[in-house]
């Protein structure tokens, strides 16, 4: 069985990758915000490992109201901090934190739909993105754009 310690080299590499132009690495080790989101991702992975999760749900890319803020795919800050009780995931009581980069918590529509359905099904997958960085419109870091072909 994989342990969270065995994932540390992956997490370290992820935090060190410079994102392509017009995108943000949510877990960048260059900012305290990124370090907090990386810690959230580490906690998420640890919870998944404890459960023996064996299913991957793949999305396109992080959005600016979800992973860009929380560090976890299809997860808003509200879900991150309040937790998702039906599946026992996330929550301040489990050590998850806001990055502090944004002045107010926001909900995200896709996150609400996805976790609502996963909670209803009592199912928790590993959620990841085919392009792991948050792609945004030029000069508009709090927007979303479709990843480019090379991304």
């Amino acid at each position: 069985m994989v342990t969270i310690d065995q994932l540390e080299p992956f997490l370290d590499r992820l935090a060190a990758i410079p994102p392509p132009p017009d995108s943000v690495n949510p877990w960048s080790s260059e900012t305290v915000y990124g370090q907090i989101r990386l810690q959230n991702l580490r906690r998420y992975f640890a919870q998944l490992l404890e459960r023996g999760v064996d299913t991957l749900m793949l999305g396109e890319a992080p959005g600016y109201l979800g992973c860009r803020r929380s560090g976890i795919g299809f997860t808003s800050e509200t879900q991150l901090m309040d937790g998702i009780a039906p599946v026992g995931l996330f929550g301040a009581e489990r050590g998850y934190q806001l990055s502090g980069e944004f002045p107010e918590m926001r909900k995200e529509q896709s996150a609400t739909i996805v976790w609502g359905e996963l909670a209803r099904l009592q199912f928790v997958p590993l959620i990841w993105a085919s392009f792991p960085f948050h792609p945004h419109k030029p000069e508009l870091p709090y927007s979303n754009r479709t990843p480019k072909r090379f991304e």
Side-chain angles (χ1 to χ4, degrees), residues 5-145:
D5 291 338
Q6 291 172 306
L7 291 179
E8 286 303 321
F10 167 76
L11 293 170
D12 290 343
R13 286 192 310 270
L14 180 65
I17 297 171
D22 302 326
S23 63
V24 174
N25 179 341
W27 312 280
S28 174
S29 58
E30 294 182 9
T31 69
V32 68
Y33 311 125
Q35 293 168 19
I36 291 169
R37 286 188 288 262
L38 183 65
Q39 186 60 33
N40 287 337
L41 183 63
R42 185 178 283 112
R43 289 182 195 291
Y44 171 62
F45 283 169
Q47 282 193 286
L48 297 181
L49 289 168
E50 288 170 7
R51 295 163 183 250
V53 168
D54 63 358
T55 303
L56 172 67
M57 186 176 112
L58 192 63
E60 182 181 56
Y64 79 98
L65 291 177
C67 184
R68 169 72 173 85
R69 291 172 169 250
S70 70
I72 301 166
F74 288 103
T75 305
S76 72
E77 293 168 307
T78 304
Q79 293 162 321
L80 182 77
M81 299 311 295
D82 292 346
I84 302 173
V87 293
L89 201 62
F90 309 130
E93 72 279 1
R94 291 183 179 90
Y96 290 91
Q97 299 177 25
L98 295 175
S99 71
E101 183 174 2
F102 306 96
E104 60 186 39
M105 286 195 329
R106 300 281 303 272
K107 290 184 178 182
E108 201 275 330
Q109 188 175 12
S110 296
T112 301
I113 293 167
V114 166
W115 281 112
E117 190 61 16
L118 292 172
R120 185 185 71 76
L121 296 170
Q122 295 282 300
F123 183 72
V124 176
L126 165 60
I127 298 176
W128 200 247
S130 59
F131 179 66
F133 306 119
H134 166 233
H136 60 80
K137 296 173 185 170
E139 309 299 320
L140 297 170
Y142 305 123
S143 66
N144 291 326
R145 69 167 170 80

